[in-house]
Amino acid sequence: MKLLRIKFLLILIFLFTLTFLKAEEMEIDNKNTEFSIYTGMFDFSDDGKRATLVGIQHQNEELNRNTFLGNLSPITGAMITVDNASYVYTGVQAQYKIGSLNFTPSFAPGFYNQGDGKDLGHLLEFKSELQFSLDLPKQSQLGFSYNHLSNASLGKKNPGANSYMFNFFKKF
């Protein structure tokens, strides 16, 4: 697990470094891919099991669709806590812009590994998230999000986990 944590941190450092490079330097013609790195508190409402988390999320805007629910696009991501609990997910998000403010609700099923962290009752968990972000220069955003993980009573128990995160987004 320690090797997994080191690999994950190296990926985050690499992606964070990419945010400071210009698209011309990277020889990328379009800016249709968005990466987000985030950190926050996993299960902040449970004093016994709260843990710091870090994560990464990818959104490909070439696959977005305008629907009656708003602009929908697929997301894929992963997070890990300091207790080695991890969650890998893929789902959909809607994006609503109000000037430079963005409101982005999302839903993503995924696989949860307890590690030394909280037992959520099942391998399959569902993440519902609300995110607010502010547009920054150079195709970037800074945001705050809240999510809830739940197994929808698929397991014998369903304690759920509430988390909050601070997000940094960059389009490439």
Side-chain angles (χ1 to χ4, degrees):
M1 280 298 182
K2 191 169 188 161
L3 184 60
L4 176 66
R5 189 186 301 163
I6 291 170
K7 286 181 182 179
F8 190 76
L9 286 173
L10 288 174
I11 291 170
L12 284 178
I13 291 168
F14 172 74
L15 290 172
F16 186 72
T17 303
L18 286 177
T19 63
F20 294 104
L21 299 175
K22 294 182 180 175
E24 296 81 25
E25 293 170 350
M26 295 175 17
E27 297 180 5
I28 294 177
D29 295 327
N30 57 13
K31 293 187 178 185
N32 292 328
T33 297
E34 180 178 86
F35 282 99
S36 167
I37 56 174
Y38 55 89
T39 186
M41 189 62 62
F42 178 76
D43 204 21
F44 69 88
S45 56
D46 183 350
D47 290 334
K49 289 297 182 177
R50 84 175 48 157
T52 303
L53 67 84
V54 293
I56 185 169
Q57 182 171 293
H58 170 261
Q59 175 208 8
N60 186 336
E61 291 188 3
E62 289 182 2
L63 301 176
N64 70 345
R65 299 291 180 262
N66 286 317
T67 71
F68 70 96
L69 295 173
N71 187 295
L72 300 179
S73 61
I75 55 171
T76 303
M79 65 123 200
I80 189 166
T81 72
V82 294
D83 295 332
N84 290 321
S86 59
Y87 183 64
V88 177
Y89 58 91
T90 188
V92 65
Q93 75 178 18
Q95 187 167 16
Y96 307 97
K97 291 188 77 60
I98 307 165
S100 61
L101 180 67
N102 302 291
F103 172 61
T104 313
S106 65
F107 177 77
F111 295 107
Y112 177 76
N113 181 332
Q114 175 182 345
D116 296 325
K118 185 173 186 175
D119 180 5
L120 293 181
H122 203 271
L123 176 65
L124 180 61
E125 297 286 330
F126 301 93
K127 178 175 74 83
S128 302
E129 183 170 284
L130 297 176
Q131 181 180 97
F132 294 92
S133 61
L134 187 62
D135 290 338
L136 299 175
K138 299 187 180 185
Q139 298 288 318
S140 300
Q141 297 175 24
L142 190 60
F144 178 80
S145 58
Y146 166 86
N147 74 35
H148 177 76
L149 285 179
S150 171
N151 66 35
S153 296
L154 293 174
K156 291 182 181 179
K157 64 181 189 171
N158 184 19
N162 300 308
S163 304
Y164 66 83
M165 288 81 52
F166 297 95
N167 310 277
F168 177 75
F169 307 87
K170 180 70 177 172
K171 288 187 181 181
F172 295 99

